[in-house]
């Protein structure tokens, strides 16, 4: 049977041939577009990607890309947004398309997050990064594997209490060493219902040759990295496989950006001026690029920095980090489950 995602891919092909873009104009600024729509948005000028959100529904876009990707799995051709004097601009047809999409009654079945996998990095024979600091004349060690397990366990307990109906899991619960392949295999083999999705949150601590480096950051997969997300055996029409795979990549990127942003905001709110935010970043980390789901990797801080090493060995500070990450995950879930929701892989 043809999968639901294939229908959306066919819809995309249909749009390529039959959507009229209309006359281009001088355009409308991104901020004015949001104001006209009564919507919120997130735009990263470095990555060239962004999202527009209204009433829980979302449209993703990229600079110079000629389509919106919507959270019901469909796409719509537009005149590409561009960088002009004063910032980001859209052509007028973008406003009309978004007004039409956001005005559609929300009668599409919602999807939900069925599982959350928390991945404390390293463990067992692999300590991860190790730092030292002095407190009251005594030397202490700050070990990444212990820090991230403590923080991840705190996150796990809060999520478990908040969502008793969801599968909340950890890749390790003690000082064990699951390999990177083990972690990814666990994530990709979690069973989900047809209307469920999963997110992957990997927790780490940083280190640097520079003892002054400090701060927390959240990573997601580089938008330039290509991966195969669709099993060819599930696709009856091989010709649309590349289109379908590209759409899924875009969906996961959009979701990962939102998760990363919500977590970064949550950390900033909890940590305050105790540690600086180093922002959102993208990289092809093994677990992020091989997990077939929206995924992020968090660096809590630098164990190589004495001040931050003391913080990361503090229960109070790790609780702040855990609360910030938890709040970010909850905010994303609230958004996802009140939107039309992306379709699942099955």
């Amino acid at each position: 049977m043809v999968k639901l995602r294939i229908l959306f891919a066919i819809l995309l092909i249909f749009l390529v041939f039959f959507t009229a873009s209309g006359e281009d104009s001088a355009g409308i600024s991104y901020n004015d577009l949001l104001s006209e729509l009564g919507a919120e948005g997130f735009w990263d000028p470095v990555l060239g990607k962004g999202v527009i959100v209204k009433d829980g529904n979302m449209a993703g876009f990229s600079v110079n890309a000629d389509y919106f990707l919507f959270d019901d799995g469909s796409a719509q051709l537009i005149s590409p947004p561009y960088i002009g004097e004063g910032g980001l601009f859209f052509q007028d047809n973008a406003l009309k398309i978004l007004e039409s999409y956001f005005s559609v009654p929300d009668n599409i079945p919602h999807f939900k997050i069925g599982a959350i996998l928390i991945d404390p990095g390293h463990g067992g024979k692999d300590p991860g990064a190790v730092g030292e600091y002095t407190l009251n004349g005594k030397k202490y060690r700050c070990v990444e594997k212990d820090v991230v397990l403590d923080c991840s366990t705190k996150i796990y307990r809060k999520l478990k209490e908040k969502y008793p109906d969801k599968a909340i899991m950890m890749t390790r619960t003690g000082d064990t060493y699951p390999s990177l392949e083990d972690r990814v295999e666990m994530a990709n083999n979690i069973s989900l219902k047809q209307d469920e999705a999963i997110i992957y949150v990997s927790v780490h601590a940083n280190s640097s040759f520079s003892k002054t480096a400090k701060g927390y950051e959240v990573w997601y997969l580089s938008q330039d990295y290509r991966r195969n997300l669709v099993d060819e055996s599930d696709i009856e029409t091989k010709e649309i496989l590349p289109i379908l795979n590209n759409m899924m990549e875009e969906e996961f990127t959009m979701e990962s950006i939102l998760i990363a942003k919500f977590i970064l905001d949550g950390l900033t709110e909890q940590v305050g001026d105790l540690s600086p935010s180093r922002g959102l970043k993208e990289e092809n980390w093994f677990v992020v690029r091989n997990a077939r789901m929206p995924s992020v990797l968090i660096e809590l801080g630098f164990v190589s920095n004495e001040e931050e090493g003391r913080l990361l060995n503090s229960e109070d500070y790790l609780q702040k980090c855990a609360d910030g990450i938890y709040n970010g995950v909850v905010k994303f879930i609230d958004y996802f489950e009140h939107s039309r929701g992306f379709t699942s892989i099955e």
Side-chain angles (χ1 to χ4, degrees):
M1 189 174 83
V2 178
K3 302 289 185 179
L4 183 59
R5 283 184 179 273
I6 298 177
L7 298 178
F8 289 138
I10 294 172
L11 173 62
L12 178 60
I13 297 172
F14 178 87
L15 288 170
V16 169
F17 289 99
F18 294 101
T19 300
S21 60
E23 293 294 325
D24 289 350
S25 70
I28 180 173
S29 74
Y30 180 53
N31 289 336
D32 287 344
L33 181 73
L34 295 178
S35 179
E36 288 283 340
L37 292 168
E40 297 180 339
F42 166 65
W43 152 243
D44 190 322
V46 176
L47 303 178
K49 287 181 176 287
V51 293
I52 297 170
V53 182
K54 182 177 181 181
D55 298 330
N57 299 315
M58 183 173 71
F61 64 87
S62 297
V63 171
N64 298 323
D66 60 354
Y67 60 88
F68 280 125
L69 182 64
F70 298 116
D71 54 0
D72 66 355
S74 64
Q76 175 74 51
L77 287 181
I78 60 171
S79 297
Y82 62 94
I83 303 295
E85 186 176 349
L88 178 66
F89 288 85
F90 289 79
Q91 300 291 349
D92 283 346
N93 71 323
L95 176 58
K96 295 173 185 176
I97 289 167
L98 289 171
E99 285 176 334
S100 175
Y101 180 72
F102 289 135
S103 67
V104 174
D106 191 5
N107 55 9
I108 300 174
H110 287 208
F111 294 82
K112 67 176 183 177
I113 300 297
I116 305 167
L117 182 59
I118 305 165
D119 175 31
H122 308 280
K125 64 182 182 181
D126 176 14
V130 179
E132 292 185 347
Y133 62 91
T134 302
L135 182 63
N136 298 325
K138 184 177 179 180
K139 283 192 173 183
Y140 295 86
R141 299 173 80 235
C142 183
V143 182
E144 179 180 5
K145 70 173 184 178
D146 299 329
V147 167
V148 299
L149 179 61
D150 191 344
C151 184
S152 296
T153 302
K154 289 175 167 56
I155 300 166
Y156 168 85
R157 289 171 179 164
K158 289 176 71 75
L159 288 173
K160 195 77 173 174
E161 182 178 358
K162 173 76 172 178
Y163 302 114
D165 59 329
K166 300 185 189 300
I168 314 297
M169 294 164 287
M170 295 175 63
T171 56
R172 66 181 179 97
T173 56
D175 191 18
T176 58
Y177 175 67
S179 68
L180 295 177
E181 291 81 4
D182 291 337
R183 298 167 199 260
V184 169
E185 183 177 3
M186 179 178 178
N188 291 336
N189 288 331
I190 291 173
S191 178
L192 298 170
K193 296 179 181 177
Q194 186 68 28
D195 63 345
E196 291 181 336
I198 178 175
I199 60 176
Y200 185 102
V201 179
S202 190
V203 185
H204 289 256
N206 222 332
S207 183
S208 172
F209 289 116
S210 171
K211 300 299 183 183
T212 60
K214 62 188 301 187
Y216 53 90
E217 55 199 27
V218 187
W219 297 75
Y220 58 91
L221 183 64
S222 168
Q223 59 184 323
D224 297 326
Y225 186 83
R226 302 291 90 185
R227 53 182 172 166
N228 293 323
L229 298 173
V230 181
D231 186 345
E232 291 190 24
S233 64
D234 289 339
I235 307 301
E236 296 178 4
T237 310
K238 302 302 182 185
E239 290 77 8
I240 69 170
L241 181 63
I243 297 175
L244 181 57
N245 197 78
N246 184 64
M247 290 179 68
M248 292 182 66
E249 284 187 307
E250 288 290 334
E251 290 178 6
F252 286 173
T253 296
M254 289 162 57
E255 289 183 338
S256 297
I257 288 173
L258 277 183
I259 298 170
K261 181 181 185 301
F262 290 154
I263 288 177
L264 188 73
D265 290 346
L267 284 168
T268 299
E269 184 175 344
Q270 290 296 318
V271 170
D273 59 2
L274 292 175
S275 179
S277 169
R278 294 166 62 91
L280 299 180
K281 300 179 182 293
E282 58 176 6
E283 182 56 78
N284 302 334
W285 300 114
F286 183 92
V287 291
V288 174
R289 74 174 186 261
N290 287 287
R292 296 193 299 270
M293 63 204 63
S295 51
V296 297
L297 187 147
I298 304 158
E299 296 281 7
L300 297 175
F302 284 78
V303 301
S304 51
N305 180 287
E306 285 209 17
E307 180 183 356
E308 210 147 66
R310 287 194 294 269
L311 287 174
L312 292 170
N313 261 0
S314 159
E315 281 294 310
D316 288 345
Y317 185 76
L318 279 189
Q319 187 64 61
K320 291 180 185 294
C321 291
D323 290 345
I325 296 168
Y326 164 82
N327 290 340
V329 171
V330 168
K331 186 172 181 180
F332 174 79
I333 292 173
D334 184 62
Y335 152 73
F336 185 93
E337 295 188 345
H338 290 84
S339 73
R340 298 173 189 181
F342 291 117
T343 53
S344 63
I345 293 177
E346 297 297 324

